[in-house]
Amino acid sequence: MSFQEDETLRLYVEESLEHLSNIENDLLAIESDGADINEDLVNKVFRAAHSIKGGAGFMGLNNIKELSHKMENVLGMIREREMIPNPEIVNILLLASDTLRKLLINVGESNSMDISEHVEALVGLTSNTAPVKEKKKTTDLADIVMEGKTIFKVSKKDIYNARKKGYFIYLVELDLIRDVHEKNLTPMDFIDKIQESGNLFDCRPDIEAVGNLQTDAMPDSIPFNILFGTILEPSMVNALFDIDERFIFELKEDFSLVPVSGTAAAEPEIQEETSPEARESSAPLQEKENQASGFGMMQDSAGDQASNESKKTDMQVSAGETSLRVHVKLLDSLMNLAGELVLGRNQLLQAISLKDMHSV
């Protein structure tokens, strides 16, 4: 990474090591609970692995991403009560977490370190625990293709489960220079937003599109693809990113991609103020009415007062029209409030889902 490399990487490593600080005690407590799953504790460890995986994708730390992802899979099965955390399972998780810590401490060499032993052990747990019918499903991957190029391979089961929760699935093409660096943001800012509003499936930079990174010249753009699910609808999802909507795509049930900018229905015209043409066309009529009534000057004064009041409220509605003219600042405020409402609904649905799981 050629910009903010040291600072961004340092913050990521610090946050990740903090996530791992109590993981040994947490895993031992999970083991002692056995079949009496403490979901809050399992969720804590699951979120730690999930956060480390997401950040590693942004940084291009493939081994860290791979190992944390495999740990996340095992923890997910424990959370769903598909696996009982016995000493053997917890020992494999402990060894993997120790290796994950070593990778983070030696982050510069992490991609060249051998993690195959731990990956195979974790994969063995999920493969051996899954019923025969489910084993085929866990390897049933779908290609997410754009312009003839496979961007991601994703588990159909994961997508299906996300849709059952009411999630929309999106592919977002970020530019790490234009959409992140130039806005004084960090990749972790986007990771946090996504994890607060839904589920991050995968993310990775498009190295091929960047070209040769060995040169001293700064590339014009660094494409970064994100695949995630959220309850935010297509018309609202850009509140998370504030980017050109041409780079946000909804993943349909047939795994095709459709730009969200082309899915919204036509909306009423929104303007900051009445156009000059409209004011000019209405002026002669107003003048004739003033002359006919004999109270031209009084009505002019009243009209000025009404105009001032209209400017104060930043809203105008023209007689006989179906469009509503709203000041852009008011519109921004309304959009922010709508976004908060949707995020609140998301949290409520998640709470209901957890309650249903407890009651089963």
Side-chain angles (χ1 to χ4, degrees), residues 47-217:
R47 285 194 299 270
H50 189 71
S51 296
I52 293 171
K53 179 193 75 172
F58 269 117
M59 303 294 173
L61 303 172
N62 298 328
N63 277 352
I64 293 176
K65 176 184 173 182
E66 178 73 5
L67 187 56
S68 56
H69 180 55
K70 295 299 185 290
M71 290 179 63
E72 180 187 43
N73 289 342
V74 173
L75 291 163
M77 294 186 71
I78 293 174
R79 183 177 61 177
E80 300 296 327
R81 291 175 168 78
E82 298 175 3
M83 181 186 296
I84 303 300
N86 59 34
E88 177 188 0
I89 292 172
V90 171
N91 184 58
I92 291 175
L93 285 169
L94 285 170
L95 292 173
S97 65
D98 287 341
T99 300
L100 191 56
R101 185 180 287 106
K102 292 176 183 177
L103 293 173
L104 288 163
I105 293 173
N106 302 282
V107 68
E109 295 78 36
S110 63
N111 281 346
S112 61
M113 297 172 68
D114 184 15
I115 62 169
S116 58
E117 177 184 354
H118 302 290
V119 169
E120 290 173 4
L122 292 165
V123 170
L125 290 179
T126 56
S127 299
N128 293 332
T129 305
V132 175
K133 292 183 179 180
E134 290 295 324
K135 287 184 181 181
K136 184 177 180 180
K137 291 183 180 180
T138 58
T139 59
D140 191 7
L141 301 178
D143 291 339
I144 310 301
V145 180
M146 179 182 293
E147 297 179 353
K149 179 181 177 181
T150 298
I151 308 298
F152 294 111
K153 288 183 178 291
V154 61
S155 166
K156 291 181 180 179
K157 179 182 178 182
D158 290 345
I159 297 296
Y160 173 74
N161 288 337
R163 292 193 189 280
K164 283 203 305 182
K165 295 179 182 178
Y167 282 8
F168 296 88
I169 314 299
Y170 299 102
L171 172 67
V172 179
E173 292 183 288
L174 282 179
D175 184 334
L176 291 180
I177 295 178
R178 182 187 65 244
D179 300 324
V180 180
H181 179 54
E182 292 181 356
K183 294 182 179 179
N184 293 321
L185 300 173
T186 68
M188 291 306 297
D189 292 330
F190 285 99
I191 287 288
D192 292 340
K193 281 185 179 181
I194 291 171
Q195 293 184 154
E196 286 173 2
S197 64
N199 181 40
L200 176 66
F201 294 110
D202 205 347
C203 58
R204 64 171 62 105
D206 187 352
I207 299 300
E208 294 181 7
V210 176
N212 185 7
L213 292 178
Q214 302 303 319
T215 62
D216 294 333

Side-chain angles (χ1 to χ4, degrees), residues 339-355:
E340 291 176 6
L341 286 172
V342 175
L343 290 175
R345 182 180 66 173
N346 181 27
Q347 293 173 348
L348 178 60
L349 288 175
Q350 289 178 341
I352 294 172
S353 177
L354 289 174
K355 182 178 179 182

